[in-house]
Amino acid sequence: AMVVRDGQEIIIPSRELVPGDLIVLQAGDTIPADATVLDSVCLSVDESILTGESDSDSKDLRTPKLFTGTAIAAGHAEACVTAIGAKTEFGHIAELTGSIGSKQTHLQKHLSKLASQLGFTALIIAGGISVLGIALGRDLTEMLMTGLSLAVAIVPEGLPAVVTITLALGAAAMVRQNALARRLQAIETLGAASVICTDKTGTLTENKMTATRIWTPDQLFQVTGTGYDPAGHIEADDGKRVRARDDAHLAQILKIAATCTHARLVRGQKDWAMTGSPTEGALLALAFKGWQSRATDGDIISEIPFDSDRKRMSVLSRASEGNEILMKGAPEAILSVSTNIRTADGNQPLGESNHNSIREAYEEMAADGLRVIAFAARKTPEQNITESGMTFLGLVGLIDPPRPEVRDAIKSARSASIRVLMITGDSPVTARAIAAQVGLDADTVVTGKSLDEQDDAGLRELLKSDVILARTRPADKMRVVSTLQAQNQIVAMTGDGVNDAPALKQADIGIAMGIRGTDVAREAADLVLLDDNFATIVGAIGEGRRQFSNIRKFVRYLLSSNAGEIVALVVNIAIGGPLIFLATQILWMNLVTDGVTAVALGLEKGEPDQMEMPPRRKDEPILGVGGVALICLLGLYSGSASYWIFNSLLDSGVDLARTTAFTAMVTFEKISVFAFRSLHLPCWRIGWLSNPLLLVAFVVTMGAQVLAIYWTPLQHLLHTVAIGQNQWLLIAGFALPLLIVPELVKTIQYVASQRAR
């Protein structure tokens, strides 16, 4: 930081600044502390790091506050340091962000609860069966080993690995869709989101100012194209394309747009890059669309730059017939120095009727959310600029256009019963206009100042309606997120600036912008959008829903497989006779065959109707009553069938009966996986071959089981013997219903639901 101490300008580390220091600021400097402007020349400050809005703000003695971390865009100034460190605006936001502790995702909470339930159940059942066996006269060592094996059977040991692999692969898939998960569980949480609180600038819009409309007293022109790419064109009312050479009046406006500017457009490898003010960049692109060449440096004689008092910029330019003053700025500022207006009939006095026409055109553009710039010019024999006696030429309307894919993305979010709430620092008029263009219906637009007047009960009622929040501050965003969470909503919050960090951390899932987002925002977020695009959020929601659905599927699948083993063992011990499964066989089923299939099940693609379903409830468990019922039903069938096979073959020898029952249980578990590919759609609806890895896993695990009963080393390890064709046919007969019945039930349910629609 450059400071003035003892009358000397010296450079010191910014950490050594103290309140009262006099600092010197130049264009390009980052402001090192909160300060008050004492003297300035054409000072403009980029405060987007705090406000999230892209336009630079003019600073002078009337608006003297400067904030840490913001940047000098133009001009220079002297300022007095008023606050440093934690007492700065930046520090207050950091303190607000730090006040929010670490959070657990909903998946973490549900898995933790499930783990506790399974652990308790495993101890009770394993201990109970061991005691039962010992009471019925079984060998103590045998029952202790069986009890331990049952504990292994009840707990799905592969669950942590399967969850981690599924989330990691899902995160990798999302990176390919321009969403970077900073925490693996983040995308799953986003899948449960019921409200998306989204910023406007750069998320719903392109963050590139674009001229869309030109008004003159005799003509209204429409402008095509977006951003700073000059590939668009200008159209007259009749749809005819026009250029500068076709209309002298239009040519004069385009000349001012190309001359009265400091912006530069440079063509990159993929896109056009702009340096300078976004408004000037948009006007320069407009001039290029009309085939207007920009002035050379030698054509500009002098300039009066834009400032917040005059709200206009003027240049003195050489013309073919003497010099010319070219001016652009706010309509009211241009009108205040204009005495004439140019029409098709030539220059006319700027009377009341013309004033009214200009005002009507200006208000109509503003109502559509356009930023309006006025243009004026006059010839002069002088060598300096006198801002008076100007001839008013017309108006240009500019807007940061909505991203073309956002409307469909919002429609998709609505079909999934996800509410989209716009929270922006921009003006209410612009916020309402953009909302209308992207399909966000809003009953009212509420400013941050109005939010201050609302108590908590009033804010809760307000947020139940379709509302847009404009001119908001960091505390406003955080309060809105907290209120929505208190209503049992799962809230996703987008942001890019330092001011967004507290709300990003408070939300159930914070989403930062990767391109224009600050490091502070990205550090506070759970998910980073690499393309700053709202449509990417909706895509990530679909991925999150897929992940949770797949986790629910393989948890139910693993537990139903384990339930079958438990049923078979309980019946076997209660009735008596040799053990149906040995400890090593139980471990084989749980640690070898089930895990591979469950991982493949976790890679199921998203179901066709997943974005037509409402978000799951905040307290909705992974299993639920329906899941427990399904687990018990399948477990009862597979366990009973295995025990029947075992009991019916005992006369042929214990080893053959046990090996056949063991193989039957493995086969039942592998066949039943197809019933879990979707919990409500039949396989023919989602595609039998849509998950080839599951088919590979099925073949591999069944192949491993064949080795277990025919390969000598595994026969010794697992105590198995070879089985014949009759035993395989018996297994197939009992396995077939596990494939047919679930498909039949889900097909009937699907057809009924389609008819109901």
Side-chain angles (χ1 to χ4, degrees):
M2 180 176 286
V3 300
V4 179
R5 287 183 177 173
D6 299 325
Q8 299 291 321
E9 291 186 358
I10 59 173
I11 296 177
I12 65 171
S14 57
R15 65 177 178 271
E16 295 181 8
L17 286 172
V18 295
D21 267 336
L22 180 64
I23 56 175
V24 180
L25 301 167
Q26 305 284 346
D29 289 349
T30 298
I31 298 173
D34 284 7
T36 299
V37 174
L38 300 178
D39 189 21
S40 67
V41 177
C42 303
L43 184 64
S44 180
V45 180
D46 177 4
E47 295 184 339
S48 59
I49 191 173
L50 287 177
T51 65
E53 301 306 316
S54 56
D55 277 335
S56 301
D57 292 329
S58 296
K59 297 288 184 178
D60 52 30
L61 296 180
R62 294 187 305 171
T63 55
K65 289 189 178 298
L66 302 176
F67 301 104
T68 305
T70 59
I72 306 296
H76 57 273
E78 290 184 351
C80 178
V81 174
T82 56
I84 59 173
K87 294 183 179 180
T88 62
E89 188 68 21
F90 201 114
H92 293 159
I93 294 172
E95 185 179 357
L96 198 61
T97 306
S99 66
I100 304 167
S102 60
K103 58 189 177 185
Q104 270 195 322
T105 66
H106 292 82
L107 180 61
Q108 287 173 312
K109 293 175 184 176
H110 289 316
L111 287 177
S112 178
K113 185 177 180 180
L114 178 65
S116 299
Q117 293 170 341
L118 288 177
F120 180 76
T121 304
L123 290 174
I124 295 297
I125 293 179
I129 288 181
S130 297
V131 170
L132 176 64
I134 294 170
L136 293 175
R138 298 239 179 209
D139 179 70
L140 175 64
T141 303
E142 180 185 54
M143 290 315 303
L144 287 176
M145 289 297 294
T146 302
L148 288 172
S149 301
L150 263 177
V152 172
I154 295 167
V155 177
E157 298 85 359
L159 183 58
V162 174
V163 170
T164 304
I165 291 170
T166 300
L167 294 178
L169 292 175
M174 284 314 304
V175 169
R176 293 192 291 270
Q177 300 178 44
N178 293 315
L180 174 64
R182 297 187 67 250
R183 293 199 296 165
L184 281 183
Q185 302 90 343
I187 296 177
E188 181 279 326
T189 303
L190 185 58
S194 54
V195 180
I196 302 174
C197 297
T198 178
D199 187 26
K200 176 188 71 67
T201 305
T203 307
L204 299 180
T205 66
E206 294 185 351
N207 196 28
K208 295 178 180 178
M209 293 298 293
T210 302
T212 60
R213 200 179 306 174
I214 304 172
W215 177 90
T216 68
D218 307 298
Q219 183 75 279
L220 183 66
F221 300 93
Q222 302 295 331
V223 186
T224 66
T226 60
Y228 305 118
D229 189 342
H233 59 268
I234 302 171
E235 292 181 354
D237 285 338
D238 57 4
K240 182 181 178 182
R241 296 187 182 186
V242 292
R243 297 178 178 177
R245 68 187 181 193
D246 302 322
D247 188 306
H249 195 163
L250 175 64
Q252 186 72 349
I253 292 175
L254 297 181
K255 180 181 179 181
I256 298 172
T259 306
C260 197
T261 183
H262 291 288
R264 294 289 185 272
L265 296 181
V266 180
R267 185 165 193 170
Q269 294 182 349
K270 296 183 178 180
D271 201 358
W272 285 76
M274 189 278 299
T275 56
S277 162
T279 298
E280 290 190 350
L283 292 175
L284 185 57
L286 169 66
F288 289 166
K289 290 174 185 178
W291 289 63
Q292 171 67 48
S293 59
R294 67 175 303 158
T296 61
D297 293 338
D299 291 334
I300 308 298
I301 300 172
S302 62
E303 170 191 331
I304 300 179
F306 179 91
D307 65 50
S308 57
D309 286 331
R310 294 165 40 258
K311 295 184 178 179
R312 56 181 178 261
M313 174 184 179
S314 301
V315 299
L316 182 63
S317 173
R318 290 187 176 89
S320 57
E321 300 176 1
N323 298 333
E324 192 173 24
I325 297 174
L326 307 178
M327 182 185 294
K328 66 175 174 60
E332 60 274 14
I334 301 299
L335 283 170
S336 68
V337 296
S338 297
T339 55
N340 298 305
I341 184 170
R342 183 170 299 176
T343 67
D345 299 325
N347 292 349
Q348 296 181 3
L350 187 62
E352 185 178 349
S353 61
N354 286 323
H355 258 290
N356 292 336
S357 297
I358 294 169
R359 188 178 297 107
E360 288 175 7
Y362 168 44
E363 290 175 352
E364 183 179 344
M365 286 186 178
D368 290 338
L370 301 181
R371 174 172 297 159
V372 184
I373 306 296
F375 295 80
R378 75 172 172 89
K379 295 190 179 299
T380 179
E382 301 174 359
Q383 294 297 312
N384 54 19
I385 300 174
T386 304
E387 294 184 325
S388 62
M390 304 298 294
T391 299
F392 190 90
L393 299 176
L395 304 169
V396 172
L398 306 100
I399 197 169
D400 182 5
R403 292 178 180 267
E405 63 274 16
V406 165
R407 177 177 281 271
D408 289 339
I410 288 177
K411 189 182 296 184
S412 178
R414 279 186 173 163
S415 70
S417 300
I418 301 169
R419 185 181 173 200
V420 180
L421 183 65
M422 182 195 290
I423 307 179
T424 179
D426 216 329
S427 70
V429 173
T430 303
R432 185 187 289 274
I434 293 295
Q437 292 179 40
V438 299
L440 274 178
D441 298 327
D443 300 328
T444 54
V445 180
V446 179
T447 64
K449 186 176 180 181
S450 300
L451 287 180
D452 289 341
E453 300 169 359
Q454 297 274 357
D455 59 14
D456 291 344
L459 182 58
R460 284 194 295 269
E461 286 301 314
L462 179 66
L463 292 178
K464 290 179 181 178
S465 61
D466 292 323
V467 65
I468 295 171
L469 304 177
R471 297 295 189 207
T472 53
R473 299 161 302 172
D476 298 328
K477 296 179 181 181
M478 196 169 170
R479 186 183 175 204
V480 168
V481 170
S482 299
T483 302
L484 289 169
Q485 289 174 324
Q487 295 174 338
N488 225 24
Q489 304 283 346
I490 297 178
V491 182
M493 174 77 196
T494 72
D496 58 357
V498 174
N499 62 323
D500 296 318
L504 290 174
K505 198 168 181 183
Q506 173 68 38
D508 294 286
I509 178 163
I511 305 169
M513 303 298 111
I515 297 174
R516 62 188 177 87
T518 61
D519 290 341
V520 176
R522 288 193 289 265
E523 284 298 319
D526 305 295
L527 190 73
V528 178
L529 300 184
L530 302 180
D531 58 358
D532 290 11
N533 194 340
F534 180 83
T536 303
I537 301 175
V538 178
I541 288 174
E543 176 63 24
R545 291 189 171 191
R546 183 193 73 83
Q547 285 190 6
F548 185 80
S549 176
N550 286 354
I551 289 170
R552 175 177 279 175
K553 290 172 189 175
F554 63 63
V555 166
R556 294 184 180 187
Y557 164 69
L558 288 173
L559 292 179
S560 67
S561 299
N562 296 358
E565 299 166 25
I566 293 167
V567 168
L569 282 164
V570 169
V571 172
N572 174 228
I573 292 172
I575 294 177
L579 278 177
I580 184 173
F581 304 131
L582 300 178
T584 52
Q585 294 172 349
I586 294 173
L587 294 175
W588 171 268
M589 288 187 283
N590 283 268
L591 298 179
V592 179
T593 63
D594 283 357
V596 176
T597 319
V599 170
L601 187 61
L603 300 178
E604 277 291 331
K605 295 179 180 179
E607 295 178 20
D609 60 350
Q610 69 175 8
M611 290 303 289
E612 298 173 9
M613 302 290 184
R616 66 180 185 271
R617 299 189 319 275
K618 197 169 185 176
D619 58 349
E620 185 174 344
I622 292 177
L623 286 179
V625 176
V628 173
L630 180 62
I631 290 168
C632 292
L633 190 63
L634 286 173
L636 187 63
Y637 176 82
S638 58
S640 301
S642 296
Y643 180 76
W644 190 92
I645 291 172
F646 173 73
N647 197 54
S648 64
L649 293 175
L650 273 177
D651 292 342
S652 301
V654 173
D655 289 338
L656 179 67
R658 181 179 291 135
T659 301
T660 307
F662 168 46
T663 304
M665 180 58 72
V666 171
T667 304
F668 296 159
E669 291 174 358
K670 300 314 115 191
I671 291 292
S672 67
V673 74
F674 295 100
F676 289 93
R677 291 192 60 202
S678 172
L679 300 178
H680 67 285
L681 292 177
C683 285
W684 60 264
R685 178 67 182 85
I686 61 176
W688 282 99
L689 303 178
S690 61
N691 187 356
L693 287 175
L694 183 63
L695 300 178
V696 171
F698 177 81
V699 171
V700 168
T701 51
M702 287 305 298
Q705 184 61 27
V706 170
L707 287 176
I709 58 178
Y710 293 113
W711 189 38
T712 305
L714 283 179
Q715 284 181 331
H716 289 302
L717 178 67
L718 298 173
H719 305 285
T720 59
V721 295
I723 61 175
Q725 181 179 351
N726 291 336
Q727 286 78 39
W728 278 112
L729 289 174
L730 186 63
I731 293 170
F734 278 101
L736 207 56
L738 289 171
L739 187 65
I740 295 174
V741 174
E743 281 296 297
L744 187 61
V745 171
K746 286 188 284 188
T747 297
I748 293 171
Q749 291 176 340
Y750 176 74
V751 171
S753 66
Q754 292 299 305
R755 287 180 177 175
R757 290 184 179 182

